[in-house]
Amino acid sequence: VIFLILRFELSFDNYHDDTDRIYRVVHEYINTPKPAFSAAMTYPFPAALRQDFPDLEYVVFADNNMSDPVINVLRDNNLSEKFKEEKVAFVDPEFYKMFHFDWIEGNPDALKGEKTVVLTESAAKKYYGASSAMNKVLNFNNEYDVTVTGIVKDPPLNTDLNFRILLSTNIGSIKRGWDEWGAQSTSLNCFVKLKEGVTRKDFEAKLKGWHIKYWSGKNEEDAKNRFYFLQPLKDQHFDTRFYNMSGRVVSNERLITLGLIGLLLLLTACINFINLNTVLIIDRSKEAGIRKVMGSSRTQLVLQFLGETLTITFFSMIISAGLVELALIQLSPVLQFRLAFHPFTDPATTVFLIALPVVVTVLAGLYPGLKLSRFQPVAALKNKLSGSGGKGMTLRRT
């Protein structure tokens, strides 16, 4: 279960193309008792970036400040049905070119037209059932009508861009008067994709102090205390200095702690196994002696014991894998997501389930196996072995 949690958390937004060139623009503000970090953005910022920096392949603005809008689905009979929706955002048309989505209908240019919207597959089915949602009209908060120009598959769970409905930013009313450089909000984020050959370090050097010319009057001093830099897309899920658009940030320290707990559990199990089997070795000394008299080598005895350990570990793994499904159901409310367990179709999980019993077998079974193989046949057959003292029990006492 710990492996599944760690693998899930560490996989966030790693499925996009060219993730090593995608960043979020964030800033540090130093005119406070201690430096403050924020990803809050202002509406004019992306347009200024596009204008001044030709070494950016894409600049994308995202605004998820629309809190649970009421959506009127306009039917063919002039009637409408209302839905209160979550995970709605305004984005620039290049959003679908910067980030990877699987298209059911439409294409990555779907938001280029005025007053357009792209729905996820689940949202489209919710509003229109089995009928196609393409070119249908939705009304938001009784303010504006938008036309459906694309449908994409629902984003995977391992993304912080988990929107269900994305509207184009060319709807004029969305700025709500926030067109000043000082009017920043954490719900407004700016993402950039660097052109090939442009490094993060080089671009950040150009970005330093660039924004000051756009601030004026009383805000200019505020601008001088603000330093913009790039946060890699793959880091936004773990960097606790910043808020992300899913509202869920998990620190690396927490994941490391969880991983160490998993290793400690395995190590404890191996120690218990070694202790139990070191005691049982004395009872198996005659068996070892007889095998040696019959011609078995030390290597054969070690391999026999490792084989027995592997069998126990393998069946333990099968039982625990069955319990995983039950555990994940109980953990879902705590984790706030439902992890999938696919031992035969997910390559990483398959490799883990094969490697785990092998590693545990070596850690837990090698020492007892070596100890058993060292018995001298005559001493073993005469029962001249002690289970409590002697140099051989040093590891167990430790």
Side-chain angles (χ1 to χ4, degrees), residues 364-389:
L366 188 59
Y367 172 78
L370 289 173
K371 184 65 181 170
L372 186 67
S373 69
R374 286 175 183 164
F375 289 156
Q376 296 301 318
V378 174
L381 293 173
K382 288 183 177 182
N383 256 349
K384 291 184 177 181
L385 298 172
S386 171
S388 57

Side-chain angles (χ1 to χ4, degrees), residues 84-186:
K84 194 169 184 178
E85 197 57 82
E86 296 178 335
K87 299 180 181 178
V88 180
F90 293 96
V91 296
D92 286 329
E94 292 81 10
F95 184 88
Y96 285 111
K97 291 186 176 180
M98 180 182 291
F99 300 108
H100 176 81
F101 287 85
D102 295 318
W103 289 86
I104 298 174
E105 294 185 77
N107 58 63
D109 290 322
L111 291 179
K112 278 195 172 182
E114 291 188 8
K115 296 186 178 180
T116 52
V117 63
V118 171
L119 305 178
T120 56
E121 183 178 15
S122 60
K125 288 181 178 178
K126 176 180 177 181
Y127 300 151
Y128 297 102
S131 302
S132 174
M134 285 292 285
N135 301 315
K136 298 293 176 62
V137 176
L138 302 175
N139 177 275
F140 280 75
N141 291 332
N142 291 321
E143 292 182 34
Y144 40 82
D145 294 338
V146 292
T147 303
V148 178
T149 54
I151 301 169
V152 296
K153 288 187 178 179
D154 287 42
L157 286 175
N158 59 333
T159 179
D160 288 311
L161 305 170
N162 56 346
F163 305 117
R164 286 170 53 85
I165 298 173
L166 289 175
L167 299 115
S168 59
T169 51
N170 54 28
I171 299 172
S173 62
I174 69 165
K175 293 185 180 181
R176 297 175 289 276
W178 293 4
D179 51 4
E180 293 291 331
W181 276 77
Q184 299 186 115
S185 171
T186 54

Side-chain angles (χ1 to χ4, degrees), residues 10 28 62 74-75 174 230 246 275 306 331 373 389:
L10 294 172
E28 176 186 7
L74 308 180
R75 305 297 186 190
I174 69 165
L230 301 182
S246 70
N275 276 334
L306 286 176
L331 281 173
S373 69

Side-chain angles (χ1 to χ4, degrees), residues 54-74:
D55 37 10
L56 294 176
E57 186 172 332
Y58 296 118
V59 178
V60 167
F61 189 60
D63 172 12
N64 70 336
N65 196 43
M66 182 182 286
S67 57
D68 302 342
V70 175
I71 299 175
N72 290 319
V73 179
L74 308 180

Side-chain angles (χ1 to χ4, degrees), residues 99-286:
F99 300 108
H100 176 81
F101 287 85
D102 295 318
W103 289 86
I104 298 174
E105 294 185 77
N107 58 63
D109 290 322
L111 291 179
K112 278 195 172 182
E114 291 188 8
K115 296 186 178 180
T116 52
V117 63
V118 171
L119 305 178
T120 56
E121 183 178 15
S122 60
K125 288 181 178 178
K126 176 180 177 181
Y127 300 151
Y128 297 102
S131 302
S132 174
M134 285 292 285
N135 301 315
K136 298 293 176 62
V137 176
L138 302 175
N139 177 275
F140 280 75
N141 291 332
N142 291 321
E143 292 182 34
Y144 40 82
D145 294 338
V146 292
T147 303
V148 178
T149 54
I151 301 169
V152 296
K153 288 187 178 179
D154 287 42
L157 286 175
N158 59 333
T159 179
D160 288 311
L161 305 170
N162 56 346
F163 305 117
R164 286 170 53 85
I165 298 173
L166 289 175
L167 299 115
S168 59
T169 51
N170 54 28
I171 299 172
S173 62
I174 69 165
K175 293 185 180 181
R176 297 175 289 276
W178 293 4
D179 51 4
E180 293 291 331
W181 276 77
Q184 299 186 115
S185 171
T186 54
S187 64
L188 312 178
N189 279 194
C190 180
F191 299 90
V192 299
K193 183 175 182 180
L194 302 180
K195 287 184 177 179
E196 290 189 32
V198 179
T199 66
R200 174 186 178 185
K201 184 178 179 181
D202 290 342
F203 184 76
E204 286 180 335
K206 297 178 182 178
L207 201 58
K208 189 175 182 179
W210 155 81
H211 61 287
I212 296 176
K213 64 183 180 180
Y214 290 103
W215 296 59
S216 60
K218 61 181 180 180
N219 290 328
E220 188 171 344
E221 191 62 32
D222 190 32
K224 291 179 180 178
N225 291 312
R226 202 176 298 273
F227 296 92
Y228 289 94
F229 60 99
L230 301 182
Q231 178 194 42
L233 178 68
K234 60 184 179 182
D235 290 352
Q236 70 168 344
H237 188 66
F238 313 105
D239 197 336
T240 55
R241 297 175 300 173
F242 305 99
Y243 168 89
N244 67 35
M245 304 200 88
S246 70
R248 185 174 171 274
V249 181
V250 180
S251 68
N252 283 312
E253 290 79 6
R254 181 176 296 182
L255 296 179
I256 291 171
T257 301
L258 192 59
L260 289 175
I261 289 172
L263 290 175
L264 182 61
L265 288 170
L266 279 179
L267 183 61
T268 303
C270 292
I271 290 172
N272 286 339
F273 191 88
I274 291 172
N275 276 334
L276 290 169
N277 279 281
T278 304
V279 174
L280 295 175
I281 282 174
I282 305 304
D283 296 331
R284 300 188 63 178
S285 59
K286 282 190 176 182

